[in-house]
Amino acid sequence: MGFSSVLRFLLPREEQFHVLLRQGTQNLVRAGELFLAIASAADLEQRRIKLVELKAVEHEGDQITRRTFEALNSTFITPFDREDLRSLAIDIDDILDYLEGIAQFLVLFELEEAPEALTRFSEILLELVLQVDQLTRMIWDMKNEREIASGIVRVSELENQADALYLTSLGALFRKDNGKDAVEVMKWKEIYQDLEDACDKAKDFTHVLGNMLIKNA
């Protein structure tokens, strides 16, 4: 009997998804911590070492997502709308994929520097994934509605900070006196775009949560 079959057998329907999503968000927090270490690393070799760890976390995230989908496909009655639960799992997986992909770009592009914008983006992302983790723990009890709403607002504030940081970073990147050649400019543009997209995905997660609150009010 596989892991997901044992889980379905042992846990009540709601507890099954509670555990799986919690595993996913805890894994995501670990990825956020590793990404911050990669972004602030002093040299390329440190980034390579941490990237190996992040790849392992991303692989574990894929396995958790697969088990969540298996549970959704094999459970007749789910604690929330089936598609909402699926969307939450997908958003968690997407954020994780962005973190691992950006870290890979930093190594592939052989970018050794740790500019302030990169470090700040990674700090925002870590706080975002911490919020995602906290919100996921609270959704199983609608008595937490006020705290959930407050967390959703905080995610929106952080995403707005990321938007402003993205525009500021691009402006600095394309200044004539930035000291970078055209190829380096394009490398960093790709990095900053993906960082901003990762933050957007965290906000997408809260959109799903907001809909769940309305449906279950």
Side-chain angles (χ1 to χ4, degrees), residues 2-72:
F3 177 87
S4 59
S5 297
V6 173
L7 196 64
R8 286 196 299 272
F9 179 76
L10 293 176
L11 296 176
R13 289 187 181 93
E14 180 167 333
E15 188 69 13
Q16 178 184 176
F17 294 105
H18 190 165
V19 169
L20 286 166
L21 287 175
R22 181 77 172 122
Q23 288 174 348
T25 59
Q26 287 180 318
N27 193 62
L28 182 60
V29 168
R30 177 59 181 148
E33 292 169 344
L34 282 169
F35 185 79
L36 176 57
I38 290 168
S40 56
D43 56 55
L44 192 56
E45 186 56 31
Q46 288 185 30
R47 283 183 173 158
R48 287 195 179 99
I49 292 169
K50 289 294 182 183
L51 177 58
V52 173
E53 295 181 55
L54 182 53
K55 282 178 175 290
V57 172
E58 193 274 336
H59 177 72
E60 175 59 22
D62 285 343
Q63 298 306 307
I64 295 168
T65 303
R66 177 184 59 78
R67 294 196 293 266
T68 304
F69 287 172
E70 287 176 351
L72 285 168

Side-chain angles (χ1 to χ4, degrees), residues 12-197:
R13 289 187 181 93
E14 180 167 333
E15 188 69 13
Q16 178 184 176
F17 294 105
H18 190 165
V19 169
L20 286 166
L21 287 175
R22 181 77 172 122
Q23 288 174 348
T25 59
Q26 287 180 318
N27 193 62
L28 182 60
V29 168
R30 177 59 181 148
E33 292 169 344
L34 282 169
F35 185 79
L36 176 57
I38 290 168
S40 56
D43 56 55
L44 192 56
E45 186 56 31
Q46 288 185 30
R47 283 183 173 158
R48 287 195 179 99
I49 292 169
K50 289 294 182 183
L51 177 58
V52 173
E53 295 181 55
L54 182 53
K55 282 178 175 290
V57 172
E58 193 274 336
H59 177 72
E60 175 59 22
D62 285 343
Q63 298 306 307
I64 295 168
T65 303
R66 177 184 59 78
R67 294 196 293 266
T68 304
F69 287 172
E70 287 176 351
L72 285 168
N73 292 335
S74 60
T75 304
F76 183 67
I77 299 174
T78 56
F80 293 108
D81 183 277
R82 190 181 309 272
E83 289 309 308
D84 287 339
L85 291 171
R86 189 181 302 275
S87 294
L88 291 182
I90 289 171
D91 286 340
I92 292 168
D93 188 63
D94 285 347
I95 298 167
L96 182 52
D97 285 345
Y98 268 114
L99 293 177
E100 193 258 349
I102 297 164
Q104 283 206 73
F105 277 149
L106 288 169
V107 172
L108 179 66
F109 293 163
E110 298 185 338
L111 297 170
E112 297 195 45
E113 61 181 304
E116 183 180 347
L118 175 62
T119 303
R120 181 58 190 140
F121 257 122
S122 63
E123 291 170 346
I124 291 172
L125 277 164
L126 179 55
E127 188 172 350
L128 281 169
V129 299
L130 286 168
Q131 287 290 331
V132 166
D133 181 51
Q134 291 173 10
L135 288 166
T136 304
R137 279 186 288 151
M138 290 191 290
I139 61 173
W140 309 100
D141 185 351
M142 283 301 147
K143 292 179 182 178
N144 295 322
E145 182 177 356
R146 181 174 297 179
E147 290 81 1
I148 294 170
S150 177
I152 290 173
V153 170
R154 180 55 183 159
V155 168
S156 181
E157 291 171 350
L158 289 165
E159 194 271 336
N160 287 338
Q161 290 179 28
D163 284 345
L165 180 59
Y166 173 66
L167 293 175
T168 301
S169 301
L170 280 191
L173 193 60
F174 283 95
R175 282 206 305 262
K176 292 181 179 180
D177 60 349
N178 65 11
K180 302 183 188 305
D181 61 31
V183 173
E184 196 173 3
V185 166
M186 295 311 296
K187 288 177 180 179
W188 281 108
K189 180 180 182 298
E190 183 72 24
I191 296 291
Y192 290 141
Q193 179 64 65
D194 283 356
L195 286 164
E196 203 264 344
D197 288 343

